[in-house]
């Protein structure tokens, strides 16, 4: 079940060229060369001539949905998405940040993607574990089948064995490492606020330099802001230079959300964002 | 620098019993910017108010903190004091040290400490408060009444007679509610239809009432004085503007559905009116029962209808009406007794619930008013079981209040219509209404047998096949009773009407643990709710009889009038606004606002808040990730300062 990356790259180029030439979109969000093959970068193709610069290989992990909200509302955009990325697109549509009709979604089924930092295959337990995009207009390659898909919550087994105090200690220790580079926030498709709460001065929600209290304030609030919205791409954790396993918290919250409200972020366009949608039949467990 | 005065109230001993009030005042005088702090026995009394007014002048106060009861009680009182003393009324802060402090502890140390903490928080916040200006708005004259049982009918007529325009919304195809199902009413035993149908007719005829049957409320926007209520007219498949009510269609229709009106005891046609005196006298088609809708062929009704009123294409339609106030009167259902398997309802044909029996007595009912069992035979012995699911901690703790009385009514009617022996199984006989004890005494004379003991079980008779046995402990004799009967009548708990959860959501009503709508105050504001401009009447508030329902309906009408009589009213200034430079356009605010005030401005790419609709609840501010929302009077800075003050203790 090995993925033919070259084949996908070619198809991506062909489709991007067609879309730009036919004027169906004004930009294509894809990947381009970085300083070496292990570090491809997000790339925006604006005309047919740009298309030659597009690359796709096993290091193209960045979630391009991150860039959708940068363009003026109504811009026609084509975007290359892998499984979790497509969920980010869905979530952004639910939040009315973008409109379905302005998008051409180029879906890429993948497995065996690698982490640029380590060169190793990414443990699918740290992501949503899906192979195929949930939403696409054009599929670049065959759907991946065969391996049983793991539960996105498997990785929590160890974490959940800890009691309340142990978890608190765990997070205090992990978050103390944070150097406040904000790479997690920059990588995240759902962190689109400008200015982010933590950058504000009136009121000042938390210390801005890296220190325990400010770090806790930033991360606990960010976790909270992503409750029911994180689509489990794992980009934040991979972006983190000090390797904080942010995915653990996001997954734990996602699991509780699913148990309480029966909804998983970014799976259905017609869903309403979980935590700001009131339904009479909603569980009251959250109040207990 | 501000100049704060702190006024601590004893509320007699209500507060002083568990909070050392003079110590609290002394403590307050040490806090930043506090220039005077006093305690007094009753701050809300005239001398108390004068003391505050004098101190405002004497100490040139620009902020006042009253540490007393809930702001629900006296916030307005103290706002007036400030206004009269020339200060902006929003510069008073009420610190609730009664409901939230002294009443929730027996320990004076604990009480005093907590009172200090909340007062400290209030001082921190008060320093950051600013003056605000109230808004004055126009008030719509019209009223909406939801639910056309006796409560809704009565309230509508009262209001309409004062000249107000009323929209009466009923989800059934006829008005009347449960009262229209009854044959006789206790304690006078007068004919229910005889007293109700004239009122139903008056509703139909009244020029000030717009009757909207087969309708449901689908959306509520706005606020007191200016509600925009969207009503869904469910498709009837008959054009009521053409139909003249000849009912020729109902004769020919082969479609059969279950008669809701007769509590499922018989079938009715697919095209039907629920009962002969239904108002309006216009049929509807029950889509699920209609042969054409099910099989694609039939349309017999269309052929017989001379007025071409049948319209199979009809769709639901929506209309939005503007009203100044709303009365909710959605009534009750009986609890489903099937899960209480010990009583065999739904299992043994001889077991009935109370509403089914009402229909058996009624001459327009399934048996034409004859009391016969499901097999057509007349019962020889009948047991009426009180308090099924009511006064029962495993089900509903509340007393349904009318069951004792209607059970007596049933006994009388059984005696009148059959030769059966009639038994009452009761826990206590509750007859606390005008004429009720007299009614009870009258029924005792009628050879009805009373067994004090709750019916415990209904089983099939082992000796006489087809008969039932009621088991109970007679608590007077202490003996265990096993009584063979042919018919068992259950008196199930009265519970809020199905769908009332949705009504609660639409109108922002709170509900008690059983789902009945909560009044603003159990004694002093039993008809108003926490949602200003929304009133409640009848059984949707709690179980009650018809006289109490009617009294409430009249009261609710009067309350609604106090609003719609005004031309203008003042609204709170505590609204929210968006700081556009921080808004990230997530539209969380738009999604959570219960009043529909925020909207997304596509041009500007940010959300904005329609101030006229905003009630200042603060929900949007709490879900705004970018803290772009400023909730006036509760800004982030003010709230954080208060929290900081609290946390110091
Ligand atoms: C078996 C029995 C016998 C009784 N006998 C007597 C008696 O003899 N004497 C006496 O004084 N009391 C009697 N009562 C009590 C009496 O029934 C009530 O006091 C009275 O009917 C209450 O009227 P209401 O208008 O509050 O409620 P209801 O009669 O329940 O009317 C509510 C109306 O609102 C409508 N509605 C509900 N939800 C909605 C919605 N979402 N939108 C629009 N419309 C809606 C319903 O369709 C209904 O028409 C008896 C009760 C029972 C159970
Ligand atoms: S929080 Fe992390 S895993 Fe979740 S969507 Fe953002 S970047 Fe992806
Ligand atoms: S952390 Fe919260 S405020 Fe900051 S960008 Fe992410 S969602 Fe927005
Ligand atoms: S990427 Fe890592 S170090 Fe940087 S802000 Fe996020 S958690 Fe902290
Ligand atoms: S179409 Fe037939 S079943 Fe339907 S209402 Fe008309 S006559 Fe009745
Ligand atoms: S919740 Fe805040 S950030 Fe989101 S749209 Fe509303 S004002 Fe803007």
């Amino acid at each position: 079940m090995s993925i033919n990356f070259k084949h996908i790259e070619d198809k991506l180029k062909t489709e991007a060229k067609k879309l730009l030439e036919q004027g169906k979109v004004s930009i294509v969000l894809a990947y381009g060369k970085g300083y070496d093959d292990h570090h491809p970068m997000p790339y925006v193709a604006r005309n047919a001539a740009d298309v030659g610069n597009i690359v796709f290989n096993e290091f193209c992990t960045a979630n391009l949905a991150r860039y959708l909200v940068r363009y003026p509302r109504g811009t026609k955009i084509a975007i290359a998405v892998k499984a979790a990325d497509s969920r980010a697109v869905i979530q952004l549509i639910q939040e009315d940040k973008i409109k379905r009709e302005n998008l051409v979604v180029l879906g890429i089924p993948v497995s065996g993607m690698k982490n640029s930092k380590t060169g190793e295959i990414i443990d699918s337990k740290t992501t949503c574990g899906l192979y195929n995009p949930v939403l696409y207009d054009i599929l670049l390659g065959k759907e991946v089948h065969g391996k049983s898909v793991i539960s996105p919550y498997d990785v929590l087994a160890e974490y959940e064995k800890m009691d309340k105090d142990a978890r608190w200690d765990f997070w205090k220790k992990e978050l103390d490492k944070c150097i406040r580079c904000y790479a997690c926030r920059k990588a995240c498709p759902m962190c689109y606020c400008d200015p982010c709460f933590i950058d504000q001065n009136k009121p000042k929600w938390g210390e801005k330099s890296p220190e325990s209290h400010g770090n806790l304030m930033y991360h606990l609030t960010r976790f909270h802001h992503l409750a029911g919205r994180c689509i489990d791409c794992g980009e934040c954790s991979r972006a983190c230079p000090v390797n904080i396993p942010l995915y653990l918290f996001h997954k734990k919250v996602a699991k509780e959300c699913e148990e309480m409200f029966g909804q998983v972020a970014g799976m259905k366009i017609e869903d309403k964002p979980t935590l700001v949608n009131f339904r009479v039949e909603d569980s009251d467990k959250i109040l207990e | 620098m501000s100049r704060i005065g702190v006024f601590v109230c004893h509320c007699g001993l209500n507060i002083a019993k568990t909070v050392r009030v003079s110590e609290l005042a002394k403590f307050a005088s040490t806090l930043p910017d506090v220039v005077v702090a006093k305690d007094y026995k009753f701050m809300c009394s005239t001398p108390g108010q004068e003391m505050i007014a004098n101190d405002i002048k004497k100490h040139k106060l620009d902020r006042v903190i009253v540490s007393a009861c809930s702001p629900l009680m006296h916030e307005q009182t103290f706002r007036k004091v400030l206004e009269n003393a020339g200060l902006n009324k929003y510069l008073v802060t009420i610190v609730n040290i009664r409901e939230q402090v002294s009443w929730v502890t027996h320990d004076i140390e604990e009480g005093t400490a907590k009172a200090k903490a909340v007062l400290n928080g209030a001082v921190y916040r008060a320093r950051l408060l600013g003056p605000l200006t109230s808004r004055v708005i126009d008030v719509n004259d019209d009223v909406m009444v939801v639910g056309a049982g006796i409560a809704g009918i009565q309230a509508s007529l009262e209001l309409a007679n004062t000249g107000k325009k009323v929209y009466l919304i009923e989800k059934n195809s006829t008005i009347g509610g449960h009262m229209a199902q009854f044959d006789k009413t206790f304690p006078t035993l007068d004919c229910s239809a005889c007293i109700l149908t004239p009122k139903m007719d008056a509703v139909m005829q009244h020029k000030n009432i717009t009757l909207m049957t087969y309708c449901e409320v689908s959306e509520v926007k706005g606020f007191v004085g200016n509600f925009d209520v969207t009503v869904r007219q469910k498709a009837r498949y008959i054009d009521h503007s053409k139909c003249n009510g000849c009912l020729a269609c109902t004769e020919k229709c082969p479609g059969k559905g279950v008669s809701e009106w007769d509590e499922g005891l018989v079938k009715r046609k697919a095209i039907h009116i629920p009962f002969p005196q239904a108002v309006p006298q216009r049929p509807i088609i029950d889509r699920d029962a209609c042969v054409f809708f099910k099989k694609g062929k039939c349309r017999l009704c269309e052929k017989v209808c001379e007025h071409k009123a049948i319209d199979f294409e009809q769709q639901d339609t929506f209309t939005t009406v503007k009203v100044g106030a709303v009365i909710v009167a959605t009534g009750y259902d009986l609890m489903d007794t099937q899960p209480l398997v010990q009583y065999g309802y739904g299992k043994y044909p001889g077991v009935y619930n109370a509403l089914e029996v009402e229909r058996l007595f009624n001459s327009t009912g399934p048996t034409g008013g004859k009391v016969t069992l499901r097999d057509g035979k007349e019962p020889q012995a009948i047991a009426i079981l009180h308090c099924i699911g009511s006064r029962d901690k495993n089900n509903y703790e509340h007393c349904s209040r009318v069951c004792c009385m209607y059970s007596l009514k049933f006994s009388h009617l059984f005696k009148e219509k059959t030769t059966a022996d009639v038994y009452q199984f009761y826990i206590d006989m509750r007859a606390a209404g005008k004429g009720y004890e007299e009614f009870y005494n009258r029924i005792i004379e009628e050879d009805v047998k009373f067994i004090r003991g709750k019916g415990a079980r209904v089983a099939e008779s082992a000796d006489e096949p087809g008969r039932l046995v009621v088991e109970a402990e007679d608590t007077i004799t202490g003996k265990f009773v096993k009584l063979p009967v042919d018919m068992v009548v259950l008196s199930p708990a009265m519970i809020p009407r199905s769908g009332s959860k949705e009504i609660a959501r639409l109108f922002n009503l709170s509900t008690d643990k059983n789902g009945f709508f909560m009044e603003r105050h159990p004694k002093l504001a039993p008809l108003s709710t926490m949602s200003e401009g929304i009133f409640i009447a009848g059984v949707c508030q709690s179980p009650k009889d018809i006289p109490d329902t009617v009294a409430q309906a009249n009261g609710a009408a009067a309350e609604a009038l106090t609003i719609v009589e005004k031309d203008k009213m003042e609204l709170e200034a505590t609204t929210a606004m968006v700081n556009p430079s921080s808004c990230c356009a997530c539209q969380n605010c738009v999604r959570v606002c219960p009043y529909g005030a925020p909207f997304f401005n596509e041009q500007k790419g940010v959300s904005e808040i329609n101030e006229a609709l905003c009630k200042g609840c603060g929900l949007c501010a709490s879900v705004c990730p970018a803290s772009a929302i400023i909730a006036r009077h509760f800004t982030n800075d003010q709230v954080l300062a208060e929290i900081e003050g609290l946390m110091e203790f």
Side-chain angles (χ1 to χ4, degrees):
Chain A
M1 192 198 48
S2 72
I3 299 285
N4 186 338
F5 287 97
K6 188 69 195 120
H7 180 70
I8 293 173
E9 181 181 302
D10 290 343
K11 283 192 88 169
L12 187 52
K13 284 179 177 163
T14 322
E15 294 299 340
K17 191 149 178 255
K18 246 197 282 178
L19 289 165
L20 287 165
E21 273 172 358
Q22 292 169 354
K24 290 222 172 103
V25 299
S26 48
I27 57 173
V28 178
L29 289 176
Y31 301 90
K33 285 193 190 60
Y35 59 85
D36 67 12
D37 280 354
H38 282 207
H39 296 84
M41 296 206 312
Y43 179 74
V44 184
R46 291 174 189 280
N47 51 51
D50 290 346
V51 165
N53 298 329
I54 291 177
V55 295
F56 190 74
N57 64 27
E58 63 268 50
F59 295 104
C60 291
T61 59
N63 188 339
L64 300 174
R66 172 66 187 95
Y67 302 96
L68 283 173
V69 294
R70 283 205 180 172
Y71 298 91
R73 282 175 83 82
T75 309
K76 300 272 182 202
I77 304 178
I79 178 170
V81 296
K82 302 175 291 339
D85 314 352
S86 74
R87 293 178 53 192
V89 172
I90 293 176
Q91 188 64 28
L92 289 169
I93 293 172
Q94 281 180 23
E95 294 180 9
D96 198 24
K97 288 297 289 180
I98 46 174
K99 293 223 182 312
R100 179 70 183 93
E101 60 268 26
N102 293 329
L103 292 180
V104 179
V105 183
L106 306 170
I108 307 178
V110 282
S111 69
M113 298 298 284
K114 290 181 180 160
N115 186 329
S116 314
K117 268 193 296 187
T118 60
E120 283 165 13
I121 290 189
I122 294 166
D123 180 357
S124 55
K125 284 193 184 142
T126 65
T127 73
C128 72
L130 300 178
Y131 303 125
N132 301 311
V134 183
L135 174 81
Y136 57 82
D137 296 306
I138 302 166
L139 197 62
L140 312 173
K142 281 204 195 64
E143 288 201 6
V144 180
H145 294 295
K147 248 199 320 192
S148 65
V149 174
I150 53 148
S151 149
Y153 309 129
D154 276 357
V155 71
L156 291 173
E158 283 299 311
Y159 175 77
E160 284 174 342
K161 280 191 204 134
M162 289 194 262
D163 65 9
K164 208 168 82 214
D165 293 336
R167 287 184 203 183
W168 178 244
D169 292 341
F170 172 80
W171 281 115
K172 277 248 286 283
K173 195 165 134 261
E174 285 294 342
L175 298 180
D176 264 354
K177 297 197 291 196
C178 173
I179 57 169
R180 301 291 277 282
C181 66
Y182 297 124
C184 48
R185 189 176 77 189
K186 270 274 174 248
C188 175
M190 307 323 297
C191 261
Y192 50 66
C193 311
D194 179 23
C196 171
F197 79 97
I198 200 72
D199 296 334
Q200 299 181 5
N201 289 319
K202 198 174 185 303
K204 183 169 152 188
W205 294 100
E207 198 46 60
K208 293 177 182 31
S209 50
E211 51 81 51
S212 288
H213 277 97
N215 286 4
L216 267 177
M217 188 67 199
Y218 164 59
H219 283 289
L220 293 184
T221 310
R222 181 169 176 273
F223 287 146
H224 182 79
H225 285 177
L226 286 153
R229 304 176 62 230
C230 163
I231 48 74
D232 209 0
C233 60
E235 266 299 284
C236 48
S237 312
R238 287 193 293 278
C240 179
V242 295
N243 299 319
I244 299 173
L246 299 165
Y247 61 85
L248 281 179
F249 210 120
H250 291 306
K251 278 175 183 283
K252 179 68 186 160
V253 176
K255 186 177 171 191
E256 306 235 308
C257 255
E258 183 174 359
E259 281 166 5
M260 236 176 301
F261 303 111
Q263 198 170 308
V264 181
M267 290 305 280
K268 291 197 201 106
I269 285 193
E270 55 293 353
D271 279 349
K272 304 234 165 66
T274 317
L275 287 200
V276 286
N277 179 30
F278 177 78
R279 297 174 300 188
V280 177
E281 65 278 11
D282 274 345
S283 140
D284 287 336
K285 219 183 117 199
I286 202 164
L287 300 175
E288 285 162 11
Chain B
M1 271 290 283
S2 46
R3 298 180 62 81
I4 304 177
V6 177
F7 299 90
V8 179
C9 180
H10 301 200
C11 194
L13 278 178
N14 272 316
I15 295 172
K17 209 171 117 197
T18 41
V19 173
R20 283 192 293 270
V21 276
S22 45
E23 184 182 322
L24 188 62
K26 218 174 276 144
F27 160 80
S29 63
T30 65
L31 298 178
D33 292 359
V34 174
V35 293
V36 53
K38 291 182 175 165
D39 61 287
Y40 187 67
K41 208 163 176 103
F42 291 107
M43 211 52 89
C44 58
S45 66
T46 314
Q49 294 185 36
E50 280 168 0
M51 179 169 90
I52 299 177
N54 291 335
D55 278 345
I56 291 176
K57 296 215 172 73
K58 189 165 147 205
H59 297 281
K60 299 201 174 50
L61 300 181
D62 59 9
R63 304 277 191 285
V64 170
I65 296 177
V66 181
S67 198
C69 51
S70 156
L72 268 184
M73 302 290 152
H74 277 302
E75 187 166 49
Q76 299 306 334
T77 314
F78 295 115
R79 281 184 171 178
K80 286 240 168 59
V81 173
L82 265 73
E83 230 171 9
N84 293 338
L87 276 183
N88 182 280
K89 64 179 181 182
Y90 289 95
L91 296 172
V92 66
T93 304
I94 309 288
V95 182
N96 182 356
I97 57 165
R98 192 178 74 179
E99 284 84 342
Q100 290 179 353
V101 180
S102 70
W103 278 356
V104 289
T105 182
H106 295 295
D107 179 350
I108 197 159
E109 297 303 327
E110 207 178 63
T112 309
K114 184 171 171 192
K116 285 182 184 172
V118 289
L119 185 59
N120 197 45
V123 170
Y124 278 41
R125 172 162 169 267
R127 295 162 79 195
L128 302 181
L129 290 180
L132 297 172
T133 323
S134 307
R135 300 157 293 156
V136 174
I137 47 137
D138 293 336
V139 174
N140 190 298
D141 293 348
D142 306 339
V143 182
M144 173 172 285
V145 178
V146 182
I150 181 60
I153 289 175
Q154 182 70 24
S156 300
L157 287 172
E158 288 294 307
L159 283 163
N161 287 339
T162 68
K164 294 293 163 193
K165 202 164 160 16
V166 180
Y167 296 92
L168 177 56
I169 315 296
E170 167 58 52
K171 81 171 168 191
N172 262 337
S173 63
T174 176
I175 61 173
H178 284 111
M179 189 178 166
Q181 291 177 293
F182 305 159
D183 184 44
K184 296 278 187 306
T185 54
F186 66 73
T188 43
L189 293 177
D190 42 357
C191 150
S192 192
C194 311
I195 54 176
L196 180 62
T197 48
K199 284 191 186 280
M200 289 164 64
D201 206 53
V203 164
M204 191 68 198
Q205 307 299 340
H206 210 297
K207 67 177 191 336
N208 289 337
I209 299 181
T210 307
L211 179 57
M212 303 173 82
T213 55
Y214 213 46
C215 280
E216 272 171 39
V217 173
S218 63
E219 196 183 7
V220 182
K221 282 189 170 161
F223 50 91
V224 57
N226 289 276
F227 292 105
D228 287 307
V229 188
T230 304
V231 178
R232 177 165 73 100
Q233 169 72 64
K234 295 178 275 183
R236 301 163 166 132
Y237 305 106
I238 289 157
D239 183 344
H240 278 202
S241 64
K242 291 187 188 152
C243 171
N244 74 345
C246 71
L247 303 181
C249 51
T250 64
E251 273 157 39
K252 293 280 186 255
C253 174
K256 290 260 185 301
V258 178
S259 167
E260 302 86 355
W261 196 257
D262 283 324
E263 296 294 325
L265 290 171
V266 280
K267 296 244 155 109
R268 52 136 175 83
K269 300 289 176 72
I271 189 165
H272 69 283
I273 58 170
F275 68 110
Q277 297 108 310
V279 170
Q281 277 278 314
R282 300 280 182 274
I284 58 162
I285 295 178
D286 169 2
R287 206 184 151 107
D288 297 331
C290 167
V291 177
F292 174 67
F293 277 117
K294 281 199 297 198
K295 305 220 170 109
K297 255 211 196 111
C298 180
R299 299 182 88 120
L300 274 173
C301 48
E302 198 175 45
K303 285 188 203 105
V304 296
C305 180
E306 288 178 9
H307 301 275
K308 308 226 170 311
I310 313 280
D311 176 6
F312 289 103
E313 307 292 303
Q314 207 175 59
Q315 301 288 329
D316 292 2
T317 52
F318 294 83
T319 18
T320 302
V321 288
K322 286 187 179 301
V323 293
V326 178
I327 297 173
V328 176
T330 48
Y332 67 97
D333 279 331
L334 292 185
M335 167 196 182
D336 176 15
T337 46
Q338 211 148 330
L340 307 176
V341 287
Q342 65 270 37
Y343 297 114
Y345 179 79
K347 185 171 169 203
Y348 307 127
V351 181
Y352 291 76
N353 79 29
L355 279 175
E356 288 168 346
V357 173
E358 287 287 358
R359 294 310 295 156
L360 290 185
F361 290 133
N362 200 307
S363 61
T364 69
T367 54
K370 276 217 287 289
V371 175
T372 51
L373 293 162
R374 286 186 169 88
D375 60 9
K377 289 197 198 115
E378 205 185 273
Q380 298 306 305
I382 303 168
I384 304 172
L385 274 47
H386 294 216
C387 302
I388 303 302
S390 287
R391 304 179 66 197
D392 171 353
K393 290 219 164 119
N394 297 322
N395 291 286
Y396 296 97
E397 197 178 345
H398 68 263
C399 165
S400 292
R401 259 184 81 183
V402 291
C403 320
C404 285
M405 284 299 121
Y406 71 62
S407 297
L408 294 174
K409 171 176 80 176
F410 289 174
S411 299
H412 172 85
L413 293 172
F414 280 135
K415 283 285 170 192
E416 191 179 278
K417 298 191 175 222
T418 70
T419 54
D421 292 327
V422 180
Y423 300 87
Q424 301 253 1
F425 289 83
Y426 67 103
I427 309 179
D428 315 285
M429 189 58 74
R430 296 190 165 175
K434 191 167 182 176
Y436 286 12
E437 186 68 14
E438 294 87 333
F439 183 57
Y440 176 31
N441 288 334
R442 171 178 167 186
I443 304 299
I444 292 177
E445 300 293 304
E446 292 183 359
D447 189 27
V448 174
K449 301 187 177 66
F450 290 85
I451 298 165
R452 203 185 82 180
K454 185 176 171 180
R457 201 164 86 98
V458 176
E460 248 165 336
S461 164
D463 316 324
E464 303 166 87
R467 293 197 90 189
L468 299 166
V469 174
V470 177
E471 296 172 8
E473 189 197 331
D474 184 331
T475 54
I476 291 179
T477 62
K479 288 215 183 78
F480 192 70
V481 192
K482 277 190 170 193
L483 182 78
V485 295
D486 308 294
M487 183 180 200
V488 172
V489 181
L490 305 179
S491 311
M494 284 162 98
I495 57 171
R497 182 67 70 136
S498 69
S500 59
K501 243 188 160 180
E502 181 61 18
I503 291 286
R505 185 187 71 81
L506 285 164
F507 290 103
N508 276 308
L509 303 178
S510 316
T511 50
D512 66 16
K513 67 174 179 198
N514 299 318
F516 290 108
F517 299 136
M518 284 260 271
E519 54 285 326
R520 180 176 275 256
H521 191 281
K523 287 154 215 154
L524 303 179
L527 308 174
S528 0
T529 65
M530 284 301 184
S531 284
E532 246 179 292
I534 314 280
F535 303 97
I536 47 180
V539 180
C540 66
Q541 183 252 357
S542 74
K544 54 180 67 69
D545 55 19
I546 296 166
D548 284 3
T549 297
V550 171
Q552 279 203 334
N554 288 345
E559 295 241 23
L561 263 184
T562 62
I563 289 177
V564 294
E565 265 303 292
K566 294 181 203 143
D567 287 339
K568 305 220 176 269
M569 68 194 294
E570 201 182 291
L571 285 190
E572 282 287 293
T574 51
T575 55
M577 59 182 264
V578 175
N579 169 4
S581 65
S582 288
C583 172
C584 69
C586 68
Q587 299 180 47
N588 277 353
C589 49
V590 180
R591 293 182 191 106
V592 298
C593 176
Y595 305 98
F599 61 97
F600 184 64
N601 184 327
E602 278 283 346
Q603 249 102 52
K604 297 187 190 156
V606 293
S607 290
E608 291 177 359
I609 290 172
N610 178 345
E611 243 192 85
L613 297 178
C614 173
K615 296 265 281 178
C617 70
L619 264 183
C620 58
S622 70
V623 297
C624 176
S627 59
I629 294 182
I630 300 159
R632 291 186 184 86
H633 213 48
F634 295 95
T635 64
N636 287 325
D637 281 325
Q638 290 163 358
V639 172
L640 284 174
E642 181 156 10
I643 293 173
E644 215 179 301
L646 262 173
M647 305 285 275
E648 278 181 3
F649 280 81

